[in-house]
Amino acid sequence: MATSGLRQHSYIDRFPDGHYIRGVTDASHNQFDQALQRLESRMDDIVRVCDQLREENRSLRERQETLMNERASLLQKNELVRSKVEAMIGRLKAMENGS
């Protein structure tokens, strides 16, 4: 089995909890480091996306609050205009009946 110039040593280690792990140094260690770097890069990407989504969510909540306040104000103005129009219609009918 060719190892492309890197020595490989197998070892078995025992963790304090009684589990065993078999590892290979040199070439496998480099592959593990590369995989760990890829994982770290992906985690950084996930954190970045989470931060962006958190900011977008905050912005959307603010926008929703603004729109809800605008809607409430417009409904209030609409009700005021409706009552004024109804009052004018009532006065016109009263004028029509009085003539």
Side-chain angles (χ1 to χ4, degrees):
M1 179 164 88
T3 61
S4 68
L6 295 175
R7 291 183 4 207
Q8 293 186 353
H9 295 354
S10 294
Y11 64 89
I12 296 177
D13 203 359
R14 184 168 185 236
F15 287 105
D17 64 0
H19 288 90
Y20 290 92
I21 185 170
R22 179 182 177 278
V24 178
T25 59
D26 297 337
S28 290
H29 184 63
N30 289 337
Q31 290 174 348
F32 176 77
D33 284 345
Q34 290 172 355
L36 191 58
Q37 287 173 353
R38 285 192 305 270
L39 178 61
E40 190 175 329
S41 175
R42 287 181 180 168
M43 291 299 292
D44 288 343
D45 292 344
I46 289 170
V47 168
R48 194 170 18 264
V49 168
C50 285
D51 288 343
Q52 289 171 349
L53 290 173
R54 190 176 292 114
E55 176 59 28
E56 183 179 348
N57 192 24
R58 184 198 59 76
S59 176
L60 288 171
R61 286 179 191 272
E62 285 179 3
R63 180 73 176 139
Q64 180 184 20
E65 182 69 25
T66 300
L67 290 173
M68 288 174 64
N69 289 337
E70 285 179 21
R71 181 181 183 273
S73 175
L74 290 172
L75 287 172
Q76 187 177 20
K77 287 177 183 179
N78 189 31
E79 185 60 33
L80 180 63
V81 168
R82 188 171 66 87
S83 66
K84 286 182 178 182
V85 168
E86 286 176 354
M88 286 186 344
I89 290 172
R91 286 194 302 271
L92 287 172
K93 284 183 179 181
M95 287 173 52
E96 188 177 84
N97 290 337
S99 22

